[in-house]
Amino acid sequence: MLLTTLLFPATLPPLWRILAPALLAGALAGCVSDTIPISMDEPQRVELPGTMPMLEPGTALEREHQRLIHSFGGEYRAPRLQALLSEIANRLRLVSDRPNETYRVTILNSPSVNAFALPNGYVYVTRGLLALANDTAEAASVIAHEIAHVTGRHAMERAELESRSVLVSRVHQEVLANPGASRLMRDQSRVALANFSRQQEMDADELGVRAIAKAGYEAHGAVRFLVALDRTSRMRNSVDDPNVTEKNDILATHPTTPERLEKAIAVARQFGAPGVGEANRMQWLQAINGIAYGEDVNQGLIRGQSFLHPRLRFTFDAPEGFTLENSPHAVLGVSPGGNEALRLDSSRGEPERSLTALLALNPIEGIAITDLNETTIGNLPGALGLARGPDWTFRVVLIRMGEIVFRFIFAAQNFSAEADQRFLAVARSFRELSEDEVKRLRGQRIGLVMARAGDRPEDLVVSHMANVAQGLERFYVLNGLTPDDMLVPGQHYKIITGG
């Protein structure tokens, strides 16, 4: 959660928008999914002058760039990794149809598995995605896929189709706001865009495999990375439902991973067998050694039902059963049935204004906050209020800690005294972290360990990842291994350190 520098907004979007992840505009192309993401020629050695991608201030692309950076935790600084990604992108552009155009790769500070591209050559990859790659060929396949979206004008073509079909997000909002809106229009536009997006992904996969092969990388690196995406998806799904299997949903914007794998394998075989071409494992592992894994400790950590923020020095406990999510704008939580939810955000409040005055100035969805009362949360000043809507009731709590005012918004469809006591217990669990607690909170990072003769994956997990949830499964996925694979003595493997 990032601290905002503005006062709380006067209104908030409806609950489904409060809890929903940020949507990106149609100018964005790429793998926008956490669960379903994405004869050998020597690389061309002639250095051609490149035209650097530009972002003109005030343009739609510049706004999209800023929104994207903000939505995914900001830029992640890793100089060695950044230099290697830039080198890979440069090799790929030299064998592209437009070698005079260059690409700027930005690492996003997000644990999600995602990659995007803007039409002007800006390519974005999350550190969560990069952690899955195990060599330069796999990393090159990601960048080549996104470059293919750019050179194929996929974002522009999608935007043109959206303008003819009515923007999916706009239609969805209109349907929510107006139950009488045409369901036929909504379904037709969604299906058309989904079919178009799936074909774009298949095209980008094929072009990406061909590009990395032409640039001298191992074509089968793309296949290995698609397998890693698939296994990551299955591991995450198994946490919620062990029976979840991937389905070919007609509205899915990406083809199913088996479909993408089949196509990628067929194209890769045209360039030789696995092992033909560059796939520098150690160079890649050294580049990602030490990068953050999972949540960024500077933006707060979720530990079971607790949220802890070392930088802002606070913690609170969510109700039992609530699922917590930390976004750049707020901490969000939802009950198992979805009929209760919470949000915590913060602002630098005006010190001369009372907390009850701040509550009165910030209605929820235009609903005035009443029943205003000053209180104390621990040893911190606080204020309580209620906003009663036709469908949801909101309990709002403000807590002042130094110059920062924290705001809890608790929402319930069936508001009751019992629910209110549950909400107030969460607010009262809010407290400052001590110096010792802050020092003990460490984020997780990618580390390297060299296997010795006789080592098994289980041994490395017990020695180095004992406190990591699903440690053995994560070790397998991070290193592209299966339970049947043997460790190679003298070879380095990724582990998760800290926490």
Side-chain angles (χ1 to χ4, degrees), residues 10 28 97 129 168 201 240 264 295 301 311 326 409 478 491 499:
L28 198 60
D97 294 336
L129 180 143
V168 174
E201 292 303 320
D240 300 322
E295 300 164 292
L301 302 170
R311 184 169 61 84
N326 186 20
I409 302 175
L478 279 175
Q491 184 164 294

PDB file of all heavy atoms in Angstrom, residues 10 28 97 129 168 201 240 264 295 301 311 326 409 478 491 499:
ATOM      1  N   ALA A  10     -13.702  12.650  -2.407  1.00  0.00           N
ATOM      2  CA  ALA A  10     -15.026  12.948  -1.871  1.00  0.00           C
ATOM      3  C   ALA A  10     -15.984  11.793  -2.074  1.00  0.00           C
ATOM      4  O   ALA A  10     -16.906  11.596  -1.295  1.00  0.00           O
ATOM      5  CB  ALA A  10     -15.596  14.205  -2.537  1.00  0.00           C
ATOM      6  N   LEU A  28      -3.074  -0.921 -24.508  1.00  0.00           N
ATOM      7  CA  LEU A  28      -2.113  -1.851 -23.947  1.00  0.00           C
ATOM      8  C   LEU A  28      -2.273  -3.209 -24.597  1.00  0.00           C
ATOM      9  O   LEU A  28      -3.381  -3.692 -24.773  1.00  0.00           O
ATOM     10  CB  LEU A  28      -2.368  -1.976 -22.444  1.00  0.00           C
ATOM     11  CG  LEU A  28      -1.276  -2.537 -21.567  1.00  0.00           C
ATOM     12  CD1 LEU A  28      -0.038  -1.672 -21.653  1.00  0.00           C
ATOM     13  CD2 LEU A  28      -1.782  -2.618 -20.148  1.00  0.00           C
ATOM     14  N   ASP A  97      11.516  -6.918 -38.287  1.00  0.00           N
ATOM     15  CA  ASP A  97      11.182  -6.282 -39.564  1.00  0.00           C
ATOM     16  C   ASP A  97      11.505  -4.795 -39.545  1.00  0.00           C
ATOM     17  O   ASP A  97      11.598  -4.168 -40.601  1.00  0.00           O
ATOM     18  CB  ASP A  97       9.691  -6.473 -39.873  1.00  0.00           C
ATOM     19  CG  ASP A  97       9.341  -7.927 -40.127  1.00  0.00           C
ATOM     20  OD1 ASP A  97      10.258  -8.686 -40.519  1.00  0.00           O
ATOM     21  OD2 ASP A  97       8.181  -8.308 -39.916  1.00  0.00           O
ATOM     22  N   LEU A 129       7.251 -12.313 -13.056  1.00  0.00           N
ATOM     23  CA  LEU A 129       7.421 -13.098 -14.281  1.00  0.00           C
ATOM     24  C   LEU A 129       8.888 -13.435 -14.503  1.00  0.00           C
ATOM     25  O   LEU A 129       9.226 -14.569 -14.857  1.00  0.00           O
ATOM     26  CB  LEU A 129       6.846 -12.332 -15.469  1.00  0.00           C
ATOM     27  CG  LEU A 129       6.945 -13.005 -16.837  1.00  0.00           C
ATOM     28  CD1 LEU A 129       5.709 -12.713 -17.672  1.00  0.00           C
ATOM     29  CD2 LEU A 129       8.190 -12.551 -17.593  1.00  0.00           C
ATOM     30  N   VAL A 168     -15.407  -2.770 -24.184  1.00  0.00           N
ATOM     31  CA  VAL A 168     -15.934  -3.785 -23.289  1.00  0.00           C
ATOM     32  C   VAL A 168     -16.166  -3.213 -21.891  1.00  0.00           C
ATOM     33  O   VAL A 168     -17.213  -3.428 -21.283  1.00  0.00           O
ATOM     34  CB  VAL A 168     -14.955  -4.984 -23.205  1.00  0.00           C
ATOM     35  CG1 VAL A 168     -15.421  -5.977 -22.151  1.00  0.00           C
ATOM     36  CG2 VAL A 168     -14.862  -5.674 -24.548  1.00  0.00           C
ATOM     37  N   GLU A 201      -2.533 -13.453 -29.487  1.00  0.00           N
ATOM     38  CA  GLU A 201      -1.586 -14.162 -28.630  1.00  0.00           C
ATOM     39  C   GLU A 201      -0.907 -15.297 -29.382  1.00  0.00           C
ATOM     40  O   GLU A 201       0.299 -15.518 -29.261  1.00  0.00           O
ATOM     41  CB  GLU A 201      -2.290 -14.698 -27.377  1.00  0.00           C
ATOM     42  CG  GLU A 201      -2.767 -13.625 -26.426  1.00  0.00           C
ATOM     43  CD  GLU A 201      -1.647 -12.711 -25.973  1.00  0.00           C
ATOM     44  OE1 GLU A 201      -0.530 -13.208 -25.706  1.00  0.00           O
ATOM     45  OE2 GLU A 201      -1.878 -11.494 -25.905  1.00  0.00           O
ATOM     46  N   ASP A 240      -6.597 -22.650  -3.930  1.00  0.00           N
ATOM     47  CA  ASP A 240      -8.011 -22.351  -3.716  1.00  0.00           C
ATOM     48  C   ASP A 240      -8.897 -23.569  -3.957  1.00  0.00           C
ATOM     49  O   ASP A 240      -9.863 -23.788  -3.254  1.00  0.00           O
ATOM     50  CB  ASP A 240      -8.447 -21.217  -4.644  1.00  0.00           C
ATOM     51  CG  ASP A 240      -7.662 -19.948  -4.387  1.00  0.00           C
ATOM     52  OD1 ASP A 240      -7.377 -19.675  -3.213  1.00  0.00           O
ATOM     53  OD2 ASP A 240      -7.321 -19.255  -5.354  1.00  0.00           O
ATOM     54  N   ALA A 264       3.845 -23.577 -30.147  1.00  0.00           N
ATOM     55  CA  ALA A 264       5.233 -23.168 -29.915  1.00  0.00           C
ATOM     56  C   ALA A 264       6.201 -24.306 -30.214  1.00  0.00           C
ATOM     57  O   ALA A 264       7.280 -24.095 -30.794  1.00  0.00           O
ATOM     58  CB  ALA A 264       5.402 -22.689 -28.477  1.00  0.00           C
ATOM     59  N   GLU A 295       5.810 -10.135  -2.165  1.00  0.00           N
ATOM     60  CA  GLU A 295       5.465  -8.760  -1.805  1.00  0.00           C
ATOM     61  C   GLU A 295       6.709  -7.921  -1.566  1.00  0.00           C
ATOM     62  O   GLU A 295       7.738  -8.425  -1.104  1.00  0.00           O
ATOM     63  CB  GLU A 295       4.615  -8.752  -0.533  1.00  0.00           C
ATOM     64  CG  GLU A 295       3.313  -9.512  -0.646  1.00  0.00           C
ATOM     65  CD  GLU A 295       2.725  -9.785   0.723  1.00  0.00           C
ATOM     66  OE1 GLU A 295       3.312 -10.580   1.475  1.00  0.00           O
ATOM     67  OE2 GLU A 295       1.693  -9.186   1.036  1.00  0.00           O
ATOM     68  N   LEU A 301       3.298  -6.140   4.000  1.00  0.00           N
ATOM     69  CA  LEU A 301       3.326  -7.594   3.896  1.00  0.00           C
ATOM     70  C   LEU A 301       2.045  -8.187   4.461  1.00  0.00           C
ATOM     71  O   LEU A 301       1.528  -7.718   5.482  1.00  0.00           O
ATOM     72  CB  LEU A 301       4.524  -8.154   4.676  1.00  0.00           C
ATOM     73  CG  LEU A 301       5.922  -7.666   4.273  1.00  0.00           C
ATOM     74  CD1 LEU A 301       6.943  -8.122   5.304  1.00  0.00           C
ATOM     75  CD2 LEU A 301       6.284  -8.173   2.889  1.00  0.00           C
ATOM     76  N   ARG A 311       7.449   0.301   6.649  1.00  0.00           N
ATOM     77  CA  ARG A 311       7.828   1.685   6.357  1.00  0.00           C
ATOM     78  C   ARG A 311       6.887   2.669   7.058  1.00  0.00           C
ATOM     79  O   ARG A 311       7.328   3.668   7.626  1.00  0.00           O
ATOM     80  CB  ARG A 311       7.841   1.926   4.851  1.00  0.00           C
ATOM     81  CG  ARG A 311       8.317   3.320   4.453  1.00  0.00           C
ATOM     82  CD  ARG A 311       8.561   3.393   2.954  1.00  0.00           C
ATOM     83  NE  ARG A 311       7.358   3.129   2.187  1.00  0.00           N
ATOM     84  CZ  ARG A 311       6.439   4.048   1.901  1.00  0.00           C
ATOM     85  NH1 ARG A 311       6.590   5.286   2.338  1.00  0.00           N
ATOM     86  NH2 ARG A 311       5.380   3.739   1.187  1.00  0.00           N
ATOM     87  N   ASN A 326      -3.038  -6.680  -1.224  1.00  0.00           N
ATOM     88  CA  ASN A 326      -2.353  -5.397  -1.092  1.00  0.00           C
ATOM     89  C   ASN A 326      -2.188  -4.787  -2.470  1.00  0.00           C
ATOM     90  O   ASN A 326      -1.498  -5.345  -3.315  1.00  0.00           O
ATOM     91  CB  ASN A 326      -0.988  -5.590  -0.430  1.00  0.00           C
ATOM     92  CG  ASN A 326      -0.305  -4.267  -0.132  1.00  0.00           C
ATOM     93  OD1 ASN A 326      -0.946  -3.228  -0.074  1.00  0.00           O
ATOM     94  ND2 ASN A 326       0.996  -4.311   0.065  1.00  0.00           N
ATOM     95  N   ILE A 409     -12.661   1.415   5.657  1.00  0.00           N
ATOM     96  CA  ILE A 409     -14.039   1.360   5.176  1.00  0.00           C
ATOM     97  C   ILE A 409     -14.471  -0.095   5.257  1.00  0.00           C
ATOM     98  O   ILE A 409     -13.900  -0.959   4.589  1.00  0.00           O
ATOM     99  CB  ILE A 409     -14.176   1.862   3.729  1.00  0.00           C
ATOM    100  CG1 ILE A 409     -13.666   3.288   3.607  1.00  0.00           C
ATOM    101  CG2 ILE A 409     -15.632   1.771   3.268  1.00  0.00           C
ATOM    102  CD1 ILE A 409     -13.663   3.803   2.175  1.00  0.00           C
ATOM    103  N   LEU A 478      10.062 -22.641  -9.793  1.00  0.00           N
ATOM    104  CA  LEU A 478      11.089 -21.627 -10.023  1.00  0.00           C
ATOM    105  C   LEU A 478      12.242 -22.160 -10.856  1.00  0.00           C
ATOM    106  O   LEU A 478      12.867 -21.424 -11.625  1.00  0.00           O
ATOM    107  CB  LEU A 478      11.633 -21.116  -8.691  1.00  0.00           C
ATOM    108  CG  LEU A 478      10.817 -20.055  -7.955  1.00  0.00           C
ATOM    109  CD1 LEU A 478      11.447 -19.761  -6.607  1.00  0.00           C
ATOM    110  CD2 LEU A 478      10.714 -18.777  -8.779  1.00  0.00           C
ATOM    111  N   GLN A 491      25.641 -27.496 -10.171  1.00  0.00           N
ATOM    112  CA  GLN A 491      24.752 -26.530 -10.838  1.00  0.00           C
ATOM    113  C   GLN A 491      24.017 -25.702  -9.800  1.00  0.00           C
ATOM    114  O   GLN A 491      23.666 -26.187  -8.724  1.00  0.00           O
ATOM    115  CB  GLN A 491      23.752 -27.254 -11.741  1.00  0.00           C
ATOM    116  CG  GLN A 491      22.856 -26.322 -12.548  1.00  0.00           C
ATOM    117  CD  GLN A 491      22.175 -27.057 -13.690  1.00  0.00           C
ATOM    118  OE1 GLN A 491      22.811 -27.514 -14.623  1.00  0.00           O
ATOM    119  NE2 GLN A 491      20.856 -27.181 -13.610  1.00  0.00           N
ATOM    120  N   GLY A 499      12.051 -13.427   4.569  1.00  0.00           N
ATOM    121  CA  GLY A 499      10.681 -13.633   4.982  1.00  0.00           C
ATOM    122  C   GLY A 499      10.541 -13.526   6.487  1.00  0.00           C
ATOM    123  O   GLY A 499       9.473 -13.484   6.996  1.00  0.00           O
TER     124      GLY A 499
END
